Structures are given as C-alpha cells and as structure tokens.
Amino acid sequence: LQSEDCQSRFCEMIASVEITESSQSDCPLQVEEWLQPFRLSWEKLRDISSRLLRDMEKGLDKHSHRGAPVKMLPTFVRSTPDGTESGDFLALDLGGTNFRVLHVRVEETMRKVVKMESQTCPVPQEIMLGTGTQLFDHIAACLADFLESQGIKHRVLPLGFTFSFPCKQKGIDKSYLICWTKGFKCSGVEGQDVAKLLKDAIHRRGDYDIGSVAMVNDTVGTMMSCGYRDQSCEIGMIVGTGTNACYMEDMKNVKRVEGEDGRMCINMEWGGFGDDGSLSDIQTEFDLEVDRRSLNPGQHMFEKMISGMYLGELARLVLIRLAQEKLLFGGEMSEALLTPGKFETKHISEIEEDGKGLTRAREILEDLGLRPTEEDCGIVQHVCSTVSTRSAHLCAAALATVANRIRSNRGLDHLRTTVGVDGTVYKKHPKFSERLQQAVRTLAPQCQVSFLLSEDGSGKGAAMVTAVAQRLAGQSRLLDDSEEDTAAEGRC
C-alpha cells in the first residue's frame, strides 16, 4: 500500500508539471485571470470522479435510473468477441453529418475481417432538421444504392446499425431514441424504436430486405472492434463530435435486467453528466453561453466541455472576450470572429501543433479577417491549449472512474485493462491523447490502462456486435416497470 501511495504521488508530481507550465506563459496576467477557471486541480478532478461514480450507480439502479443524468443503458451485449465469429454482415453508421453503409465478411479460420466495402452518403442539413420519415427514407435509399453496387441486393443479410445517439434498448433489436444530439432534430423519432423505423423505410421501398438487426452504439462498436484484437479490451471511448463511453459491468449490478451471472456492456451516455447541475461549480461563463446557444440547452453539459462539436466555439468565445477587454487584437474584432462556428475545433489542433502552430495561428486568424501580432498568436495558442487540456483532463477523470469501478467490482488490488478509442479529437489533436493518458495514470494509479485505436468501430465493430450479440442476446431481457417493482419487492 505504501508503494502504491508513493506511485500515486509520483504520478501526480509528474502530471502537475503540465498544469504548472500551462499557467506559466508570457501571457499578460489579465489573460491568465480569464483562463484560470478552465484549470482544474487534481483534487477537483478526483472530486468530479466521485460525483460521476455516484451518478453511475444511480443510473444502474432500478429505482433511480429515470432521473439519472448518466443513463447507464443496458446494451444486451454480453461478451466481447471470442474468435468464433464468421459470416457476411451489413453495417450502417449514423452519428454525424455523414452516413455510411458497409458490407463486412468475417472468417473464423483466419480470425479476422477479410472483406470490408463501404460507401459514404452525406446527411444534408435539411434532413438533419426535417422529419424522421425523410431521414430513414434517405438511409434506406443509400443502403439500396450500396447493395446494388455490390451485387448483393438479392441477399438478405443480418445488419448492425450503429446509431450514435442516446437510446433505451429493450433488446438487441429494439432501441428507442431518448433525445437527439450532435445537431440532429428530426421530428417524430424521439421515443420511437429506431430499428422499426429503419425496417419500415426499407419496406416502403419494397425492392430489398434485410435480416435480423442489432442496434449498436458507436462506443460499443469501438470496444468490440478493439476486443477482436485484444481480449483485455473491456472499455470503449469516443472523443470526437460528441463523447461517450461503455464498459463491461457485472450483471449483479445491472438491476434493470434479468439475471445476475456474467457481465453486460453498459452504454454510459456520460455526455449527460452534469445535466442535474452537479458540474455547475466548474462551468465557466463561456460554457454557459455555448449551452445557451446550442440546440439542446441544459442537456449534455459534460459533452459541451469536452467534445469536438463545442471546443472551437468555446475558444472563439474566449477570444472575443479577450478582444473586448482590449487584451487581444488591439481590441479589434472581425465579422467572421463574431460568427458562431467560424473558429473550428480543427483550428485548435492545428494551432497547438509543435513547430508550426504559431504560423498556422496567424494564417487562421488572418483568414478570419484579423491582423494579429506575434503576441496575439501566442495568446491564441495559449487559449487553445487551456481549453483542450481541460477537455482531456475531464475525460481522464471520467475514464479513471470507470477503470477504478471495474477494479473494485472484481476485488482486485491492481487492474490491467485496455480502452478501445475512437474520435477525431483523440486522433487528430497533437497532444490530447498524451494529456489524457498521463492524467488517467495519476487518477487511477492502481490501474494499468492501455489504449488501442479502433479500426472502424462503426463498421467492423457493428459486425462483431451483430455476430456476438445475436448469439447471446436471448439470455437477457429488460424488466418493464411492473417487473422492476415486483423484482424489488422479491429482493427486499
């Protein structure tokens, strides 16, 4: 125990270097005062981790799950791949402004995906904000074109549907949308069974059919695609347009599903952490403004501090405030800087790139109609680093919570586990992954956490879920409200 305490203190000392260095810059003191609320101490991050753990337990419980901000949704995926999976599968992937359809072939003898063909279709803004019928007709049309191009329109294949939005699953093929996120607002879909809406759209066409459907969240697909390569992968995490995580929870703790043996993958929907106000003490005025202007005010508060959809906008609002305070650009602002969405999250990644970041900062700011000085470029780079570091540290606090819970569930002194990871922020930002991994080591010193980049979780992962979950899903079913009450009475 003493050596573990020493290890924890050593990790914290090393990790603290970045916080110290990030606050020791050439920026004016007044700039630092505006950025200070974004800096979270290790003590505060541990406190946030404790809050998340309480919300996880609330989401798993049959009595309190309805009001839980972290939904902890059962996925009915009871196992990671074991190498016996084989066959042909279709996969659909909807989770952003592009929609993909794939044909995946898995061979047991080679223990690998031997074929994966795909086609990408854009999802126009008018469809993202239109009706559910328009959306699913668009998906069905894209799938029809793909099947035709692959010469397999006559085949009836099982399908894994990666639908990357908060859903309540009542079975592997029954998934009800809780709420839209990521800029979608299609009417007539919330509260409906997404698998049925897809099948209905295909049947309206009448020119092809599909087999059984497995509904897949992108985090689950990420975990499963990595689990095919690494049997110790029991956590999936996305840090991209949105953010979320899943992990293998002991069935005895999943009170809303029948059975107490084995494990089940839980889709955390951790983007909703803080929706009950539990993170109000760390929200800055810029977080509140981003939330106010969003399509879903008051929802997904954690996601709005972390994910790629919002980081650029957070930085833009900080830059505007600094300019208003005459601390940046000589107090001048351009029309582009004042336009929401013009300063993108990809700009943060480019500006933080070692060696050429300051040059890119100047180019990006000039493209926005500004005339930055060398000092301005340095301040903008510092703003970007501060915003993205907070994102990485908050994500690390949440991930450490999950790793520590798995270790506690299994009564282990030390846990070795792998996280399957996907998402543009994690993959594209030059320093995000390093900051996150270092913080996880500090916040979960008794867990040895490895990270494995997903190879197409929404494609290969969906195929793996379809193969594994179809075989095992019959072992579990969600208790309805009356059964939950009856089961509770039986256990009292």
Coordinates of all heavy atoms in Angstrom, one line a residue, residues 27-28 30-35 286 315-333 379-380 382-383:
C27 N 1.8 35.2 -21.4 CA 0.6 36.0 -21.5 C 0.4 37.0 -20.4 O 0.9 36.7 -19.2 CB -0.6 35.0 -21.4 SG -0.8 34.0 -22.9
P28 N -0.2 38.1 -20.6 CA -0.4 39.1 -19.6 C -1.3 38.5 -18.4 O -2.0 37.5 -18.6 CB -1.2 40.2 -20.3 CG -0.9 40.0 -21.8 CD -0.7 38.5 -22.0
Q30 N -3.7 39.6 -16.9 CA -5.2 39.7 -17.1 C -5.7 38.6 -18.0 O -6.9 38.1 -17.8 CB -5.5 41.1 -17.8 CG -5.1 42.3 -17.0 CD -3.8 42.8 -17.4 OE1 -2.8 42.1 -17.6 NE2 -3.7 44.2 -17.6
V31 N -5.0 38.1 -18.9 CA -5.4 37.0 -19.8 C -5.5 35.7 -18.9 O -6.4 34.9 -19.0 CB -4.4 36.8 -20.9 CG1 -4.7 35.4 -21.7 CG2 -4.4 37.9 -21.9
E32 N -4.4 35.5 -18.0 CA -4.4 34.4 -17.2 C -5.7 34.3 -16.2 O -6.2 33.3 -15.9 CB -3.1 34.4 -16.3 CG -1.9 34.1 -17.1 CD -1.9 32.7 -17.7 OE1 -2.6 31.8 -17.2 OE2 -1.1 32.5 -18.7
E33 N -6.1 35.5 -15.8 CA -7.3 35.6 -14.9 C -8.5 35.1 -15.6 O -9.4 34.4 -15.0 CB -7.5 37.0 -14.5 CG -6.4 37.5 -13.5 CD -6.5 39.0 -13.1 OE1 -7.4 39.7 -13.7 OE2 -5.8 39.4 -12.2
W34 N -8.6 35.3 -16.9 CA -9.8 34.8 -17.7 C -9.7 33.3 -17.9 O -10.7 32.6 -18.1 CB -9.9 35.6 -19.0 CG -10.5 37.0 -18.9 CD1 -9.8 38.1 -19.0 CD2 -11.8 37.3 -18.6 NE1 -10.6 39.2 -18.7 CE2 -11.9 38.7 -18.5 CE3 -13.0 36.5 -18.4 CZ2 -13.1 39.4 -18.3 CZ3 -14.2 37.2 -18.2 CH2 -14.2 38.6 -18.1
L35 N -8.5 32.8 -18.0 CA -8.3 31.4 -18.3 C -8.3 30.5 -17.0 O -8.5 29.3 -17.1 CB -7.0 31.2 -19.1 CG -6.9 31.8 -20.5 CD1 -5.6 31.5 -21.1 CD2 -8.1 31.3 -21.4
F286 N -18.3 30.9 -20.4 CA -18.2 30.5 -21.8 C -19.0 29.2 -22.0 O -19.6 29.0 -23.0 CB -16.8 30.4 -22.2 CG -16.0 31.7 -21.9 CD1 -15.0 31.7 -20.9 CD2 -16.2 32.9 -22.6 CE1 -14.3 32.8 -20.5 CE2 -15.5 34.0 -22.3 CZ -14.5 34.0 -21.2
A315 N -13.4 28.2 -27.5 CA -12.2 29.0 -27.7 C -12.6 30.4 -28.4 O -12.1 31.4 -28.0 CB -11.2 28.3 -28.6
R316 N -13.5 30.3 -29.3 CA -14.0 31.6 -30.0 C -14.5 32.6 -29.0 O -14.2 33.8 -29.1 CB -15.0 31.2 -31.1 CG -15.4 32.4 -32.0 CD -16.5 32.1 -32.9 NE -17.8 31.9 -32.2 CZ -18.6 33.0 -32.0 NH1 -18.3 34.2 -32.4 NH2 -19.8 32.7 -31.4
L317 N -15.4 32.1 -28.1 CA -16.0 33.0 -27.1 C -14.9 33.6 -26.2 O -15.0 34.8 -25.8 CB -17.1 32.2 -26.3 CG -18.3 31.8 -27.1 CD1 -19.2 30.9 -26.3 CD2 -19.1 33.0 -27.7
V318 N -13.9 32.8 -25.9 CA -12.8 33.3 -25.0 C -12.1 34.4 -25.8 O -11.8 35.5 -25.2 CB -11.9 32.2 -24.6 CG1 -10.7 32.8 -23.8 CG2 -12.6 31.2 -23.7
L319 N -11.8 34.2 -27.1 CA -11.1 35.2 -27.9 C -11.9 36.5 -28.0 O -11.3 37.6 -27.9 CB -10.8 34.6 -29.3 CG -9.9 33.3 -29.3 CD1 -9.6 32.9 -30.8 CD2 -8.6 33.5 -28.6
I320 N -13.2 36.4 -28.2 CA -14.0 37.6 -28.2 C -13.9 38.3 -26.9 O -13.8 39.6 -26.9 CB -15.5 37.2 -28.6 CG1 -15.6 36.7 -30.0 CG2 -16.4 38.4 -28.3 CD1 -16.9 36.2 -30.4
R321 N -14.0 37.6 -25.8 CA -14.0 38.3 -24.5 C -12.6 39.0 -24.3 O -12.6 40.2 -23.8 CB -14.3 37.3 -23.4 CG -14.1 37.9 -22.0 CD -14.9 39.3 -21.8 NE -16.3 39.1 -22.1 CZ -17.2 38.9 -21.1 NH1 -16.8 38.7 -19.9 NH2 -18.5 38.8 -21.5
L322 N -11.5 38.3 -24.7 CA -10.2 39.0 -24.5 C -10.1 40.2 -25.4 O -9.5 41.2 -25.0 CB -9.1 37.9 -24.8 CG -9.0 36.8 -23.9 CD1 -7.9 35.8 -24.3 CD2 -8.7 37.2 -22.5
A323 N -10.7 40.1 -26.6 CA -10.6 41.3 -27.5 C -11.5 42.4 -26.9 O -11.1 43.6 -27.0 CB -11.1 40.9 -28.9
Q324 N -12.6 42.1 -26.4 CA -13.5 43.1 -25.8 C -12.8 43.8 -24.6 O -13.0 45.0 -24.3 CB -14.8 42.5 -25.3 CG -15.7 42.0 -26.4 CD -16.9 41.2 -25.8 OE1 -16.8 40.6 -24.8 NE2 -18.0 41.2 -26.6
E325 N -11.9 43.0 -23.9 CA -11.2 43.6 -22.8 C -9.9 44.3 -23.2 O -9.0 44.6 -22.4 CB -10.8 42.4 -21.8 CG -12.0 41.8 -21.2 CD -12.8 42.7 -20.2 OE1 -12.1 43.5 -19.5 OE2 -14.0 42.6 -20.2
K326 N -9.7 44.4 -24.6 CA -8.5 45.0 -25.1 C -7.2 44.3 -24.8 O -6.1 44.8 -24.8 CB -8.4 46.5 -24.6 CG -9.6 47.4 -24.9 CD -9.8 47.7 -26.4 CE -10.8 48.8 -26.6 NZ -12.1 48.5 -26.1
L327 N -7.3 43.0 -24.6 CA -6.2 42.1 -24.4 C -5.7 41.3 -25.6 O -4.8 40.6 -25.5 CB -6.5 41.1 -23.2 CG -6.9 41.8 -21.9 CD1 -7.4 40.7 -20.9 CD2 -5.7 42.5 -21.3
L328 N -6.5 41.5 -26.7 CA -6.2 40.7 -27.9 C -6.6 41.5 -29.1 O -7.6 42.2 -29.1 CB -7.0 39.4 -27.8 CG -6.6 38.2 -28.7 CD1 -5.1 37.8 -28.6 CD2 -7.5 37.0 -28.5
F329 N -5.8 41.4 -30.2 CA -6.1 42.1 -31.5 C -6.3 43.6 -31.3 O -7.0 44.2 -32.1 CB -7.3 41.5 -32.1 CG -7.4 40.0 -32.2 CD1 -8.5 39.3 -31.8 CD2 -6.2 39.2 -32.5 CE1 -8.5 37.9 -31.8 CE2 -6.3 37.8 -32.6 CZ -7.4 37.2 -32.2
G330 N -5.7 44.2 -30.3 CA -5.8 45.6 -30.1 C -7.3 46.0 -29.9 O -7.6 47.2 -30.1
G331 N -8.1 45.1 -29.4 CA -9.5 45.4 -29.2 C -10.3 45.3 -30.4 O -11.6 45.5 -30.3
E332 N -9.7 44.9 -31.6 CA -10.5 44.8 -32.8 C -11.1 43.4 -33.0 O -10.5 42.4 -32.6 CB -9.6 45.1 -34.0 CG -9.0 46.6 -34.0 CD -10.1 47.6 -34.2 OE1 -11.1 47.4 -34.9 OE2 -10.0 48.7 -33.5
M333 N -12.3 43.4 -33.6 CA -12.9 42.1 -33.9 C -13.4 42.1 -35.3 O -13.8 43.2 -35.8 CB -14.0 41.8 -32.9 CG -13.6 41.4 -31.5 SD -14.9 41.3 -30.4 CE -15.2 43.0 -30.0
I379 N -1.0 34.3 -27.5 CA -2.1 34.2 -26.6 C -3.2 33.3 -27.2 O -3.8 32.5 -26.4 CB -2.7 35.6 -26.5 CG1 -1.8 36.5 -25.7 CG2 -4.1 35.6 -25.7 CD1 -2.2 38.0 -25.6
V380 N -3.5 33.3 -28.5 CA -4.5 32.4 -29.1 C -4.1 31.0 -28.9 O -4.9 30.1 -28.5 CB -4.7 32.8 -30.5 CG1 -5.5 31.7 -31.2 CG2 -5.4 34.1 -30.7
H382 N -2.2 29.8 -26.5 CA -2.4 29.5 -25.1 C -3.9 29.3 -24.7 O -4.2 28.4 -23.9 CB -1.8 30.7 -24.3 CG -1.7 30.4 -22.8 ND1 -1.0 29.3 -22.3 CD2 -2.2 31.0 -21.7 CE1 -1.0 29.3 -21.0 NE2 -1.7 30.3 -20.6
V383 N -4.8 30.0 -25.3 CA -6.2 29.8 -25.1 C -6.6 28.4 -25.6 O -7.3 27.7 -24.9 CB -7.0 30.9 -25.9 CG1 -8.5 30.5 -25.9 CG2 -6.8 32.3 -25.2

